[in-house]
Amino acid sequence: MSPLSRALSFTRREVLRLLAVTPLFSVAYRGGIAMAEDTAAPRPLAYRGEHQVKPLPFDPAKLTGLSEKLITSHHQNNYGGAVKRLNLIEQQLGGLPKDAAPYQMGSLKREELIARNSMVLHEAYFGNLGGHGSATGTFAELAKAAYGSLETWEAEFRLTGQSLAGGSGWVIVVYDPDSKSLHNAWAFDHTHGVAGGAPVLVMDMYEHSYHMDYGANAKSYVDAFFQNIHWDEVNRRLARLRVA
Amino acid sequence: MSPLSRALSFTRREVLRLLAVTPLFSVAYRGGIAMAEDTAAPRPLAYRGEHQVKPLPFDPAKLTGLSEKLITSHHQNNYGGAVKRLNLIEQQLGGLPKDAAPYQMGSLKREELIARNSMVLHEAYFGNLGGHGSATGTFAELAKAAYGSLETWEAEFRLTGQSLAGGSGWVIVVYDPDSKSLHNAWAFDHTHGVAGGAPVLVMDMYEHSYHMDYGANAKSYVDAFFQNIHWDEVNRRLARLRVA
Amino acid sequence: MSPLSRALSFTRREVLRLLAVTPLFSVAYRGGIAMAEDTAAPRPLAYRGEHQVKPLPFDPAKLTGLSEKLITSHHQNNYGGAVKRLNLIEQQLGGLPKDAAPYQMGSLKREELIARNSMVLHEAYFGNLGGHGSATGTFAELAKAAYGSLETWEAEFRLTGQSLAGGSGWVIVVYDPDSKSLHNAWAFDHTHGVAGGAPVLVMDMYEHSYHMDYGANAKSYVDAFFQNIHWDEVNRRLARLRVA
Amino acid sequence: MSPLSRALSFTRREVLRLLAVTPLFSVAYRGGIAMAEDTAAPRPLAYRGEHQVKPLPFDPAKLTGLSEKLITSHHQNNYGGAVKRLNLIEQQLGGLPKDAAPYQMGSLKREELIARNSMVLHEAYFGNLGGHGSATGTFAELAKAAYGSLETWEAEFRLTGQSLAGGSGWVIVVYDPDSKSLHNAWAFDHTHGVAGGAPVLVMDMYEHSYHMDYGANAKSYVDAFFQNIHWDEVNRRLARLRVA
């Protein structure tokens, strides 16, 4: 069994424990009607819990200034753990009775947001690593249009990253379809996000992104991040968003 | 001067105060190079601070169960205040020296996220009010596809709303382009959002959305909200996202 | 049955629903060993869930500029609701299996923090209302010692309050035993608090504290709050903390 | 110059930069009346910004399972950085004009809360390391009184810690003077705290507490933490709180 499949599969004990903690489908009758009431039917998409870990899109031994050990642990434990947790949460949501106490729904939806954004942002993060060079193409044009110059865009992006050093968070360049422009967004943890913004360049600032290699020296990590940006992928994302 | 223009225009005193508080363009020389360094050039988009309050897209006297007084105050004070604040923050960001202490950038970017999401979500909220009837068209199909039935989608949406009663937050149905599906998202305040999700149906749960009319009775407010959803606009949003 | 007892008592349906949602004591055997494992023994204090709503310490019809309707609803719905919720959460915590998924413990502990702080802060808030006049005694001396003058203390307190207008939060003057001084603390919602600080003067800035009376005009609410501070009680709190 | 004094002292460039960013005392006249208006008088305590880094109360080379490199970096960079930042923030608060935009006060007070709690909790954390053995004395009695058994207290404490693995936060045992009992508190980041609770045992769960030694294996870090708890100091804290 590969580390990845291990990260995703549930042990029999885990499943039994989960069934014990919350009424899943099999025990839904105990608490009025559950969200996903028909236990014979396949669970609907929202409660399916079958997200899969995507493999790294690059050789983790070949980044500049970010070690294989760091990247592999980050991918397996932090990203893989989020996917696994999201699957549990979705199934637990499906088993929640429709007349549950509101805080039970609220806290599960918060956990879902944490796990889901962690999954999505980690995929975007690993997806925009594995390259090199300077910003090019559509991204470079849009960053210049929004910030006056690439230098100013980068200065704001880096300083926002520095403000998260020693803690958690993300710096996310989103494309905003309304203003048709790029925007640097601050996230203090997985829950934060720009309403309607599509992430096109993502930098993880959780300490698990750099501590093994750089200790508390977040600045050197940000330098290393910039050396590995896959600008072609960033521009492909913009193209998928139908940005000329 | 209409209340709306008043909400947006700055008094001379406000501008002077702001200049005093932070180095804007005119005083940028005092603190090294500012983000937007060239004080002669027009400010770049990211630091322009010229967002405009959009008028209500419906007659506030004609909603069902939501009073004109409530809607008008909500639009003018809470939405209008966010737009005005966002404009100040963007200009302040432009004046921040490139070598500012990181926490100064971080806290301004957080304020920007709060004001920006408040603006965007309020526009989406008012935009999806002014209608009536039941969910139709693409939205109804997608909600059924994601949650098994419209009833289950609505039960989760309402219970998430109830979990925010007595405080702040939003319930946001986002369209996720990766899974091509709808998803109910919980937001405890303006900062929370689904990475990559586009808001298609938005319910404000801040107490300013209902206290004047319903006091602490958030449940009746949610009932009233459902009576005023503008499903055609919701489906237009999906169409703009090129969802079939 | 008085409104207060009603706010605190559980209906049979509520208890059944809770039992269905999570393994409480009676069903703890289903999920390995629960936190409070011995279902015959009385539940330990941490999982007892028997907090009682304290009545208002003043006549709600007699405040200056804060209506009886507002105060009564605030006390009954927002404070009373928090006490009731805290009791449910504590019992649910007691039923959580010792080998539950960590996020299940984390999200319940967060809900506990929200409900507990809401209870404690609301009690402190109502407790420091019902008076009038200006700051006196130990509080006045300590505020002057910390901020240079009462005016400066009040200016910072009020401006912090204004920053929370239109949303949620608290302004809390805490006594810090280490520096033997007072400190104005910002709280964006119920979860925030100064480590080691004891609240001596508490102002609720959730919109339910003023919307019924003042709509979005938080400034007038803060004015009204200042007209009703019970400075003797504030000084008694300092005395209980053994501050000379 | 020792690393500690270096961490605390400001360079001439930093001071000049700060002066440029915000009106401190010397430039307060530019923005109406500042919080601390009299620039000739010594700054009041709240705006003094003279907190000092406390040295480690134990030999960092002698903990069990926590390396000297990890502890020294944690103390110097994360704790020392917070003290230095708090000093800057307090002075910046003192220079804020009394008629500043409310969000400017709010965001500075938030930064102050982050830095202050980080300082206080780190001091409590390092202060309760350097020991060994099992819980004894008053702590053991109170934990048993609150949770039924030491095992249950520890199970909840550890599982709450596990829920924070891969991110940020603290687990804090507070003494609550009202109920005269101990309580495990969850904190997702530096801002969270129990209203009125005094920290008596503090475990840092930020990834900088363990990543250098354990990578993503937070469970082993929690094991190591338990091997180093200084129970005598924990009981001294309870004694200072006049708990019998």
Side-chain angles (χ1 to χ4, degrees):
Chain A
M1 203 176 202
S2 81
L4 280 191
S5 7
R6 201 162 51 232
L8 222 104
S9 67
F10 302 93
T11 62
R12 188 176 147 70
R13 183 153 162 278
E14 282 173 327
V15 171
L16 285 174
R17 184 206 305 160
L18 193 75
L19 285 168
V21 172
T22 55
L24 275 178
F25 298 86
S26 58
V27 292
Y29 66 90
R30 299 188 61 254
I33 310 293
M35 284 293 156
E37 66 253 62
D38 184 350
T39 63
R43 281 170 300 190
L45 186 63
Y47 305 133
R48 195 161 293 161
E50 293 182 356
H51 300 277
Q52 301 288 325
V53 170
K54 292 185 184 155
L56 279 170
F58 53 82
D59 181 344
K62 296 201 169 153
L63 295 189
T64 306
L66 296 169
S67 72
E68 180 174 11
K69 189 185 165 197
L70 173 77
I71 293 290
T72 305
S73 168
H74 191 174
H75 181 259
Q76 212 167 296
N77 296 303
N78 302 101
Y79 164 55
V83 175
K84 188 176 173 180
R85 212 166 64 244
L86 178 59
N87 288 340
L88 288 172
I89 293 164
E90 286 187 357
Q91 295 184 41
Q92 209 185 339
L93 273 166
L96 205 64
K98 285 185 176 170
D99 59 353
Y103 76 82
Q104 294 178 307
M105 175 59 86
S107 60
L108 260 179
K109 292 298 287 182
R110 176 179 171 270
E111 293 292 342
E112 184 192 39
L113 179 65
I114 293 173
R116 185 188 185 97
N117 276 2
S118 177
M119 178 182 77
V120 171
L121 292 170
H122 273 113
E123 287 173 4
Y125 172 71
F126 292 122
N128 59 217
L129 288 179
H132 58 87
S134 304
T136 55
T138 313
F139 182 91
E141 284 163 36
L142 287 175
K144 205 175 160 184
Y147 286 90
S149 72
L150 263 177
E151 289 66 35
T152 297
W153 162 75
E154 188 174 321
E156 194 191 278
F157 185 92
R158 282 175 178 264
L159 200 52
T160 304
Q162 276 303 115
S163 78
L164 301 165
S168 56
W170 299 86
V171 190
I172 306 166
V173 183
V174 296
Y175 177 76
D176 171 34
D178 286 334
S179 60
K180 299 187 196 309
S181 69
L182 293 182
H183 182 72
N184 289 327
W186 165 99
F188 204 60
D189 58 42
H190 298 311
T191 62
H192 295 139
V194 171
V200 295
L201 176 63
V202 169
M203 178 168 70
D204 196 341
M205 287 302 300
Y206 276 72
E207 290 172 310
H208 56 241
S209 311
Y210 56 89
H211 244 261
M212 277 183 197
D213 283 1
Y214 292 104
N217 188 354
K219 199 166 187 308
S220 292
Y221 159 67
V222 174
D223 287 344
F225 173 79
F226 264 87
Q227 288 188 276
N228 292 282
I229 297 178
H230 197 317
W231 293 108
D232 288 348
E233 168 60 16
V234 171
N235 281 316
R236 269 195 295 272
R237 290 174 188 172
L238 286 165
R240 275 198 296 274
L241 293 163
R242 296 168 193 258
V243 182
Chain B
M1 204 177 201
S2 80
L4 280 190
S5 5
R6 201 160 53 230
L8 223 107
S9 67
F10 301 96
T11 62
R12 188 176 147 72
R13 183 151 163 277
E14 282 173 329
V15 171
L16 285 174
R17 185 205 305 159
L18 193 75
L19 285 169
V21 172
T22 55
L24 275 177
F25 297 86
S26 58
V27 293
Y29 66 89
R30 299 188 60 255
I33 310 294
M35 284 292 156
E37 66 254 59
D38 185 349
T39 64
R43 280 170 300 188
L45 186 63
Y47 305 133
R48 195 160 294 163
E50 294 181 356
H51 299 278
Q52 302 288 326
V53 170
K54 292 184 184 157
L56 280 171
F58 53 81
D59 180 344
K62 297 201 169 152
L63 295 190
T64 306
L66 296 168
S67 72
E68 181 174 10
K69 189 185 164 198
L70 173 78
I71 292 291
T72 304
S73 167
H74 191 174
H75 181 260
Q76 211 167 295
N77 296 304
N78 302 103
Y79 164 55
V83 175
K84 189 177 174 180
R85 212 166 64 243
L86 178 59
N87 288 340
L88 288 173
I89 293 163
E90 285 187 359
Q91 295 184 40
Q92 209 184 341
L93 274 166
L96 206 64
K98 285 185 175 169
D99 59 352
Y103 76 83
Q104 295 178 307
M105 176 59 86
S107 59
L108 261 180
K109 294 298 287 182
R110 175 180 171 271
E111 294 292 341
E112 184 192 40
L113 179 65
I114 292 173
R116 185 188 185 97
N117 276 2
S118 177
M119 178 182 77
V120 170
L121 292 170
H122 274 113
E123 287 173 3
Y125 172 71
F126 293 122
N128 60 214
L129 288 179
H132 58 86
S134 304
T136 55
T138 312
F139 182 91
E141 284 163 36
L142 288 174
K144 204 174 160 184
Y147 286 89
S149 71
L150 264 176
E151 290 66 37
T152 297
W153 162 74
E154 187 175 322
E156 195 192 277
F157 185 92
R158 282 175 178 264
L159 200 51
T160 303
Q162 276 303 114
S163 78
L164 301 165
S168 55
W170 299 85
V171 190
I172 307 167
V173 183
V174 297
Y175 177 76
D176 171 33
D178 286 335
S179 60
K180 299 187 197 310
S181 68
L182 293 182
H183 183 71
N184 290 326
W186 165 99
F188 204 58
D189 59 42
H190 298 309
T191 62
H192 294 138
V194 170
V200 295
L201 176 64
V202 169
M203 178 169 70
D204 195 341
M205 287 303 300
Y206 276 72
E207 289 172 310
H208 56 242
S209 311
Y210 57 90
H211 244 259
M212 278 184 196
D213 284 0
Y214 292 104
N217 188 353
K219 201 166 185 307
S220 290
Y221 159 68
V222 174
D223 288 343
F225 172 79
F226 264 87
Q227 288 190 274
N228 292 282
I229 297 177
H230 197 317
W231 292 108
D232 288 349
E233 167 61 16
V234 171
N235 281 316
R236 270 196 295 273
R237 290 174 188 171
L238 286 165
R240 275 198 295 275
L241 293 163
R242 298 170 192 255
V243 181
Chain C
M1 204 176 200
S2 80
L4 279 190
S5 6
R6 203 162 49 230
L8 217 102
S9 69
F10 302 95
T11 61
R12 187 175 147 70
R13 184 153 162 276
E14 282 174 328
V15 171
L16 284 174
R17 183 206 305 160
L18 193 75
L19 285 168
V21 173
T22 55
L24 275 178
F25 297 87
S26 59
V27 293
Y29 66 89
R30 300 188 60 253
I33 310 293
M35 284 292 156
E37 67 253 61
D38 185 350
T39 63
R43 281 171 299 190
L45 186 63
Y47 305 133
R48 195 160 294 161
E50 294 182 355
H51 300 278
Q52 302 288 325
V53 171
K54 292 183 185 159
L56 280 171
F58 53 82
D59 181 345
K62 297 200 169 152
L63 295 190
T64 305
L66 297 169
S67 72
E68 181 174 10
K69 189 185 163 198
L70 174 77
I71 293 290
T72 305
S73 168
H74 191 174
H75 180 261
Q76 211 167 294
N77 295 305
N78 302 102
Y79 164 56
V83 175
K84 189 177 174 178
R85 211 167 64 243
L86 178 59
N87 287 341
L88 288 174
I89 293 164
E90 286 187 359
Q91 295 184 40
Q92 207 184 342
L93 274 167
L96 206 64
K98 285 185 178 170
D99 59 352
Y103 76 83
Q104 295 178 305
M105 176 59 87
S107 60
L108 261 180
K109 293 298 287 182
R110 174 178 172 272
E111 294 292 341
E112 184 192 40
L113 179 65
I114 293 173
R116 185 188 186 97
N117 277 1
S118 177
M119 178 182 77
V120 170
L121 292 170
H122 273 113
E123 288 173 3
Y125 172 71
F126 292 123
N128 59 215
L129 288 178
H132 58 86
S134 303
T136 55
T138 312
F139 182 91
E141 285 163 36
L142 287 174
K144 204 174 159 184
Y147 286 90
S149 72
L150 263 177
E151 289 66 37
T152 298
W153 161 74
E154 188 174 321
E156 194 192 278
F157 184 92
R158 281 175 179 263
L159 200 51
T160 304
Q162 277 303 116
S163 78
L164 301 165
S168 56
W170 300 85
V171 190
I172 307 166
V173 183
V174 296
Y175 177 76
D176 171 34
D178 285 335
S179 60
K180 299 188 198 308
S181 68
L182 293 182
H183 182 72
N184 290 327
W186 164 100
F188 204 60
D189 60 41
H190 298 311
T191 62
H192 295 138
V194 170
V200 296
L201 176 64
V202 169
M203 178 167 70
D204 195 341
M205 287 302 300
Y206 276 71
E207 290 172 310
H208 55 243
S209 310
Y210 57 91
H211 244 260
M212 277 183 198
D213 284 1
Y214 292 105
N217 188 352
K219 199 166 187 305
S220 291
Y221 160 68
V222 173
D223 287 343
F225 173 80
F226 264 86
Q227 288 189 274
N228 292 282
I229 298 178
H230 197 318
W231 293 108
D232 288 349
E233 167 60 16
V234 172
N235 280 316
R236 271 197 294 274
R237 289 174 188 171
L238 286 166
R240 276 198 297 275
L241 292 164
R242 297 169 192 255
V243 182
Chain D
M1 204 177 202
S2 81
L4 279 191
S5 4
R6 200 160 53 229
L8 219 101
S9 67
F10 302 94
T11 62
R12 188 177 147 71
R13 184 152 162 277
E14 281 172 328
V15 171
L16 285 175
R17 184 204 306 159
L18 193 74
L19 284 168
V21 173
T22 56
L24 273 178
F25 297 87
S26 58
V27 292
Y29 65 90
R30 300 190 58 255
I33 310 293
M35 285 292 155
E37 67 253 61
D38 185 350
T39 63
R43 279 171 300 190
L45 186 63
Y47 304 133
R48 195 160 295 161
E50 293 182 356
H51 300 278
Q52 301 288 326
V53 169
K54 293 185 184 156
L56 280 171
F58 53 82
D59 180 344
K62 296 200 169 154
L63 295 190
T64 306
L66 297 168
S67 72
E68 180 174 10
K69 188 185 164 199
L70 173 77
I71 293 290
T72 304
S73 168
H74 191 174
H75 180 260
Q76 211 167 295
N77 296 304
N78 302 102
Y79 163 56
V83 175
K84 188 176 174 180
R85 211 166 65 243
L86 178 58
N87 288 340
L88 288 174
I89 293 163
E90 286 187 358
Q91 296 184 39
Q92 209 185 339
L93 273 167
L96 206 63
K98 284 184 177 171
D99 59 352
Y103 76 83
Q104 294 178 306
M105 175 60 86
S107 60
L108 261 180
K109 293 297 287 182
R110 175 179 171 270
E111 293 292 341
E112 183 192 40
L113 179 65
I114 293 173
R116 186 187 184 99
N117 277 2
S118 177
M119 178 183 77
V120 170
L121 292 170
H122 274 113
E123 287 173 4
Y125 172 71
F126 292 122
N128 59 216
L129 288 179
H132 57 87
S134 303
T136 55
T138 313
F139 182 91
E141 285 164 35
L142 287 174
K144 205 175 160 184
Y147 286 89
S149 71
L150 263 177
E151 289 66 36
T152 298
W153 161 74
E154 188 174 321
E156 195 192 277
F157 184 92
R158 282 175 178 264
L159 200 52
T160 303
Q162 276 304 116
S163 78
L164 301 166
S168 56
W170 299 85
V171 189
I172 307 167
V173 183
V174 297
Y175 177 76
D176 171 34
D178 286 335
S179 60
K180 299 188 196 309
S181 68
L182 293 182
H183 183 72
N184 290 327
W186 164 99
F188 205 59
D189 59 42
H190 298 311
T191 62
H192 294 139
V194 171
V200 296
L201 176 64
V202 169
M203 177 168 70
D204 196 341
M205 287 302 300
Y206 276 71
E207 289 171 311
H208 56 241
S209 311
Y210 56 90
H211 243 259
M212 277 183 197
D213 284 1
Y214 292 104
N217 188 354
K219 199 165 188 305
S220 292
Y221 159 68
V222 173
D223 287 343
F225 173 80
F226 264 87
Q227 288 188 277
N228 291 283
I229 297 177
H230 197 317
W231 293 107
D232 289 349
E233 167 60 15
V234 171
N235 281 316
R236 271 196 294 272
R237 290 173 188 174
L238 286 166
R240 276 198 295 274
L241 293 164
R242 298 170 191 255
V243 182

